[in-house]
Structure formats: structure tokens, C-alpha cells
Amino acid sequence: HEPGDVSSTHEEPVRPGQCFSIEPGIYLPGDVGVRIEDLVIVTEGGCEVLNSYPKQLTVLG
């Protein structure tokens, strides 16, 4: 992890106003990889996703 990364070992509290990029991904070695990214801001009541884009699988070709 890079400095400032948030992970399961991150111990600093998360505070309202902080913004994070949630980036799950999958990589098939030597073939292909993909990440789906959401930007999330921490609010007093939890969090709010700042972007929206459909995440349905689309098969091309």
C-alpha cells in the first residue's frame, strides 16, 4: 500500500468531508484486467457516492 491508502489495516478514523476512491478490480495475468471505480465522500450520517454509472455486464463482439 502507498502512504495514505485506506485498507483493512488502516487505523486512523474516517472523518466527514474526506473523499475516497473505491477501486475493486480483477486481473487475469497475461490476459486482461478491469477496475470499477466509485468516488465516495464521508458525511455525518455515513457516506455518499459522488458518481454513478451502470455496472451491468455488457458483452461486446
Side-chain angles (χ1 to χ4, degrees):
H1 295 283
E2 296 293 321
D5 280 0
V6 177
S7 69
S8 61
T9 60
H10 186 85
E11 295 183 7
E12 289 185 42
V14 176
R15 294 184 172 84
Q18 290 180 309
C19 188
F20 296 93
S21 175
I22 311 298
E23 304 177 12
I26 185 169
Y27 295 90
L28 304 176
D31 193 22
V32 68
V34 67
R35 282 193 177 276
I36 298 175
E37 181 176 320
D38 285 315
L39 297 176
V40 178
I41 190 164
V42 180
T43 65
E44 292 290 338
C47 66
E48 176 185 345
V49 178
L50 298 177
N51 59 304
S52 63
Y53 194 82
K55 294 183 175 80
Q56 295 88 337
L57 177 63
T58 301
V59 178
L60 304 174

